[in-house]
Amino acid sequence: MAKVLRAVAFAASLTPSFSYYLVANCVPGSIVASLNQTQGRVGLYTKALQTILPSTYGDLKLLAKGTNCMSAASAVNSNSIILGGVLDNYKMENVGLFEALTLANVTEDYLYVFETKGFTSMQSIADCVPGDVVASLNQTSGMIVLYTKALQQILPGIFGDLKFLGVAPNASACSSIQNMINTGKSDNATYLAQLKNGTLGLQEVALWDGLKKGNGNFTYMYVFDNVMWNKTTEWWV
């Protein structure tokens, strides 16, 4: 059990802080109307929200109203709906420019949908695992390639198909590349090509070698498709 928990700990130590592309807030019209600093105007309340949470609320993407406001906000914040589906699915009404300049209706609920500030989309996700951790997992007989399955079972909502399995001479060399991938600072196609041809300093683990037991002198890098990435719309789901 201790070995399994240790494996979980390494998987959970991934560096990125996961957030979604959009973030929403449903505000009762009575609250919008009562804010003196914005003169109670619907559109100006946008600035109030951005001031309250400047590190979260980016550009406004949608301003709408309707009785299903809370449900719509929940759907956006749980990433279960795309922006274009909010109005129809939750019977919301878009607030146009003219209405946005008027005093809020106290009987309405207003939905403010923002782009998440500083959002970074990551098509792939990487995890560096010390060789002794790989070797110690009894459920996989310590085999390098079978540890892939262990990671996918630990975090099934994040780790998709394996894209690359490599070996690094030490943890530092592996971590620097892991951070580059997990912070979205490198183009997906570019770094995958660089990983496979060895220019980033990691050696790809061949199929035959993957069936061997992990070596405690090395660190292994597992690069997966990010399950939260939608290839069609380039939007997290």
Side-chain angles (χ1 to χ4, degrees):
M1 177 59 72
K3 294 176 181 177
V4 174
L5 291 176
R6 191 179 177 201
V8 172
F10 275 101
S13 66
L14 294 171
T15 55
S17 176
F18 293 109
S19 62
Y20 296 122
Y21 171 57
L22 297 174
V23 59
N25 197 330
C26 178
V27 186
S30 58
I31 293 178
V32 177
S34 68
L35 191 64
N36 293 330
Q37 293 91 327
T38 60
Q39 300 173 343
R41 297 181 185 180
V42 181
L44 293 182
Y45 197 83
T46 301
K47 189 62 177 177
L49 290 171
Q50 291 169 325
T51 302
I52 293 169
L53 289 175
S55 63
T56 301
Y57 293 140
D59 294 336
L60 183 72
K61 306 303 289 185
L62 176 68
L63 174 51
K65 64 181 182 179
T67 56
N68 295 319
C69 181
M70 287 298 294
S71 296
S74 178
V76 172
N77 291 334
S78 63
N79 219 17
S80 58
I81 192 168
I82 61 173
L83 185 64
V86 172
L87 297 180
D88 288 341
N89 282 276
Y90 291 93
K91 304 297 186 286
M92 301 289 292
E93 181 182 344
N94 185 62
V95 174
L97 179 60
F98 178 77
E99 186 178 357
L101 296 175
T102 63
L103 183 68
N105 186 334
V106 297
T107 65
E108 292 280 8
D109 290 326
Y110 293 94
L111 177 70
Y112 297 81
V113 181
F114 299 90
E115 208 172 58
T116 301
K117 204 162 194 177
F119 172 79
T120 301
S121 57
M122 292 168 287
Q123 189 171 346
S124 297
I125 186 166
D127 193 18
C128 288
V129 186
D132 62 335
V133 174
V134 175
S136 68
L137 194 61
N138 293 331
Q139 291 88 334
T140 60
S141 301
M143 293 185 189
I144 301 166
V145 71
L146 292 185
Y147 196 84
T148 301
K149 192 65 177 176
L151 289 172
Q152 290 168 327
Q153 289 180 343
I154 292 168
L155 292 174
I158 297 176
F159 293 139
D161 294 335
L162 184 70
K163 305 299 292 183
F164 175 81
L165 173 52
V167 57
N170 54 62
S172 178
C174 190
S175 294
S176 63
I177 299 173
Q178 172 187 282
N179 292 339
M180 177 187 72
I181 295 171
N182 290 349
T183 54
K185 292 180 179 178
S186 178
D187 174 70
N188 189 66
T190 300
Y191 74 69
L192 280 177
Q194 292 175 331
L195 282 171
K196 290 180 180 295
N197 64 29
T199 57
L200 293 180
L202 269 68
Q203 181 180 345
E204 186 168 16
V205 175
L207 179 60
W208 179 255
D209 290 331
L211 297 175
K212 297 178 181 178
K213 194 168 186 175
N215 187 326
N217 294 319
F218 300 108
T219 298
Y220 297 94
M221 170 176 277
Y222 298 80
V223 181
F224 299 90
D225 273 334
N226 184 358
V227 172
M228 299 180 77
W229 174 271
N230 185 311
K231 300 182 181 65
T232 303
T233 61
E234 296 191 349
W235 200 76
W236 279 26
V237 294

